[in-house]
Amino acid sequence: MQTQKKELFTHNAQSIRDVIRYIRRFKNATVVIHLDDRILESPLFSSHISDIAMMHDAGLKVIIVPGAKKRIDDVLKLNNVSWQYKDDFRISEENSIPLIKMAAFDVSNKIMTALSANGLTALIGNWVRSRAKGIIDGFDYGICGEIDKIHIESLNTVLENGFIPIFPCIGWSAKGKPYNISSIKLACETAICLKADKLFFLTPDTSITEKDFVISKDMPLSPEGCIPALNLEELEIFLNDNKENQSSVINLLKNGLQVCKSGVSRVHILNGQIDGTLPCEIFSDLGSGTMIYKSDYGGIRKMNIDDISQVLSLMRPFIEKGILLNRTEQDLQECFSDFIVYELDGAIRACASLHIYNEVQGEIAAIAVDKTCSHMGIGPKMVSYLIDEAKKENLKSVFVLTTQTSDWFEKLGFIPDDIETLPEQRKQLWTKKRNSKLFRLNLN
């Protein structure tokens, strides 16, 4: 029981540290939230608004771009106005624009009212200049508009004054003519123009699982079976594997790809049916949706002296379970140049080491991955990195000694070997009491 209490306390303490670290990291960060208007009818709507208010109070600059598709549908049906879709644009008669405006502003007003109930001031503004989409290949897009310009200076003034801007999906021409514009494109363009740190798509039931998509066997999945993160290279492969899939999620992923390529660091696709999905995604490593990120999001680097305390904390649970050998701060100081770490948003989330013997054999050791990140495929990446390092050193083989993870190493291509094949220096440290098994990977 004492051990369970200790583990729970350690876990809670680390969670609190993570929250504080993320609050510091994202203070004054700019985030754009695209809010699907179906969320307004969800019992979790007020909870999501409270979370947005909390993000604002934590020092983030929040912009909300609500979708209004469902509300516009309802209003047009009520007024017996027909429409069709072409290339994701709503095509309807010219005199329907007042109804579309009414529906779009109705959604924005509901969000503004909900924010007001949380003590925040939001502004609905006309920061978007647009132009007619016009006639393409003989087809007249009528009242559909394209974004011409976003008035960034005015928008920044609103943000600096502590207000939350809300963008209806309506743009105006230079002469004041309104057009119906895509809220998704508007959210993307706003994030790009503001050089936002994050763009969120909060929409109902958007989990990316094997049930609805083709997912490579090499793709790490969360415990719930969802893809937690995709870098740009992985996303392009995923989109190619699912090129026949025409779902709305694919559309969000395609837009996310272009937004990241245009300078926004991260795009998050979140399931609005999960309570707390926004704060979990922004204030923890845990996450709750799928993140699209550029390759500088997290990465492997050499360990330095300043990392030792974090690495020891990372190793401790594995040492207590007998998975890793005990190591002291002095031990790490003496061989820190052998270690690599995986840094994620300023925190060390994994470590591993490569010890070289007689310029012939290398030992991969001290592999530890924070359990909150265990589904991200970091462990295999660390091992692969060290194998590449061993090849650069012209080593003939690398080996591991393990008591509880033999299956994992066999999956990575290591095969069982005799303890007698260990280099003499390492063989002297092997004990019958621990009885570690030897697995080896030949590099020639």
Side-chain angles (χ1 to χ4, degrees):
M1 183 62 74
Q2 283 298 114
T3 301
Q4 290 179 338
K5 286 183 177 179
K6 183 180 177 182
E7 289 180 354
L8 179 61
F9 184 83
T10 301
H11 172 75
N12 290 341
Q14 187 57 49
S15 296
I16 293 169
R17 292 189 192 110
D18 287 343
V19 170
I20 293 172
R21 176 167 53 85
Y22 276 105
I23 288 175
R24 286 175 177 170
R25 179 177 179 85
F26 290 113
K27 187 175 178 63
N28 295 318
T30 300
V31 298
V32 177
I33 301 173
H34 179 271
L35 189 65
D36 190 304
D37 66 328
R38 290 174 293 172
I39 298 292
L40 273 66
E41 298 178 357
S42 164
L44 293 178
F45 173 61
S46 59
S47 180
H48 290 315
I49 292 296
S50 295
D51 288 339
I52 292 171
M54 180 179 64
M55 291 164 59
H56 180 271
D57 291 342
L60 283 77
K61 298 175 182 176
V62 179
I63 300 97
I64 299 177
V65 182
K69 182 178 182 296
K70 184 179 185 306
R71 181 59 180 149
I72 293 173
D73 285 351
D74 292 343
V75 169
L76 294 183
K77 284 179 183 176
L78 188 63
N79 288 272
N80 297 314
V81 176
S82 61
W83 71 90
Q84 61 175 309
Y85 282 100
K86 182 174 176 58
D87 302 326
D88 291 328
F89 286 89
R90 182 194 299 272
I91 312 300
S92 60
E93 56 195 58
E94 186 81 21
N95 61 6
S96 67
I97 191 65
L99 296 173
I100 292 174
K101 278 175 57 183
M102 180 182 71
F105 275 84
D106 182 40
V107 170
S108 295
N109 275 311
K110 286 182 178 179
I111 294 171
M112 183 173 67
T113 301
L115 289 170
S116 179
N118 282 268
L120 298 180
T121 302
L123 295 177
I124 302 172
N126 58 343
W127 297 286
V128 186
R129 190 175 72 196
S130 66
R131 53 183 166 77
K133 187 170 178 64
I135 300 172
I136 300 176
D137 295 330
F139 186 89
D140 189 351
Y141 283 82
I143 60 173
C144 297
E146 296 280 10
I147 300 167
D148 222 9
K149 179 182 179 181
I150 295 176
H151 300 289
I152 296 299
E153 290 185 7
S154 300
L155 190 56
N156 278 327
T157 299
V158 172
L159 291 169
E160 291 300 328
N161 285 322
F163 301 130
I164 295 181
I166 301 176
F167 282 69
C169 55
I170 300 293
W172 283 263
S173 71
K175 293 187 176 182
K177 184 176 180 179
Y179 291 101
N180 183 199
I181 56 179
S182 164
S183 62
I184 291 175
K185 295 293 185 186
L186 178 55
C188 293
E189 191 65 26
T190 302
I192 293 169
C193 290
L194 284 172
K195 298 180 173 61
D197 298 273
K198 289 177 176 286
L199 167 61
F200 293 96
F201 290 110
L202 186 62
T203 182
D205 195 20
T206 53
S207 299
I208 302 176
T209 67
E210 292 177 319
K211 176 185 174 184
D212 301 308
F213 301 94
V214 177
I215 298 178
S216 166
K217 292 181 180 179
D218 298 327
M219 184 70 67
L221 300 178
S222 71
E224 296 76 27
C226 304
I227 296 180
L230 290 161
N231 63 35
L232 301 191
E233 293 78 13
E234 291 168 336
L235 176 53
E236 289 184 327
I237 293 171
F238 178 87
L239 289 173
N240 185 62
D241 290 342
N242 291 273
K243 56 188 175 185
E244 303 301 323
N245 191 317
Q246 301 297 316
S247 71
S248 59
V249 177
I250 292 293
N251 182 45
L252 293 180
L253 289 170
K254 288 178 178 178
N255 278 282
L257 177 66
Q258 296 307 314
V259 168
C260 282
K261 284 184 175 181
S262 300
V264 176
S265 297
R266 304 174 200 179
V267 175
H268 304 258
I269 300 175
L270 306 182
N271 187 344
Q273 294 178 336
I274 300 175
D275 193 12
T277 185
L278 278 165
C280 281
E281 193 74 14
I282 200 168
F283 293 131
S284 76
D285 292 330
L286 210 56
S288 59
T290 297
M291 178 176 68
I292 303 166
Y293 65 97
K294 294 189 288 188
S295 57
D296 58 355
Y297 159 63
I300 297 170
R301 63 169 174 79
K302 293 286 187 180
M303 187 174 90
N304 58 54
I305 290 290
D306 294 336
D307 299 324
I308 288 178
S309 61
Q310 285 193 68
V311 169
L312 284 172
S313 295
L314 178 67
M315 287 182 175
R316 192 169 295 118
F318 299 92
I319 293 171
E320 291 174 351
K321 292 178 181 179
I323 298 173
L324 294 183
L325 288 170
N326 187 32
R327 289 171 174 83
T328 66
E329 185 171 346
Q330 183 176 347
D331 292 333
L332 293 188
Q333 287 176 347
E334 291 174 355
C335 64
F336 78 90
S337 60
D338 291 351
F339 274 78
I340 58 172
V341 296
Y342 192 95
E343 185 175 11
L344 182 66
D345 279 335
I348 305 302
R349 293 307 186 194
C351 66
S353 61
L354 175 66
H355 308 303
I356 298 176
Y357 298 93
N358 302 325
E359 300 181 353
V360 176
Q361 298 186 49
E363 178 186 11
I364 295 177
I367 301 171
V369 180
D370 189 309
K371 69 176 183 178
T372 63
C373 304
S374 60
H375 59 279
M376 294 175 63
I378 294 174
K381 290 178 183 177
M382 301 285 278
V383 172
S384 178
Y385 182 95
L386 291 178
I387 290 171
D388 287 341
E389 291 295 298
K391 290 178 179 177
K392 291 177 185 176
E393 297 292 333
N394 295 317
L395 301 184
K396 291 183 178 180
S397 67
V398 290
F399 65 86
V400 296
L401 287 162
T402 180
T403 58
Q404 299 177 39
T405 55
S406 57
D407 290 338
W408 189 77
F409 284 110
E410 286 188 298
K411 187 177 179 181
L412 295 178
F414 288 76
I415 59 175
D417 202 358
D418 196 300
I419 294 297
E420 292 302 316
T421 65
L422 284 173
E424 194 61 35
Q425 181 183 352
R426 185 64 183 88
K427 193 190 304 182
Q428 292 175 5
L429 299 175
W430 185 89
T431 64
K432 186 65 177 176
K433 180 180 179 181
R434 185 168 173 81
N435 199 28
S436 300
K437 291 183 178 180
L438 172 66
F439 289 83
R440 188 179 297 279
L441 181 69
N442 291 316
L443 303 180
N444 294 336

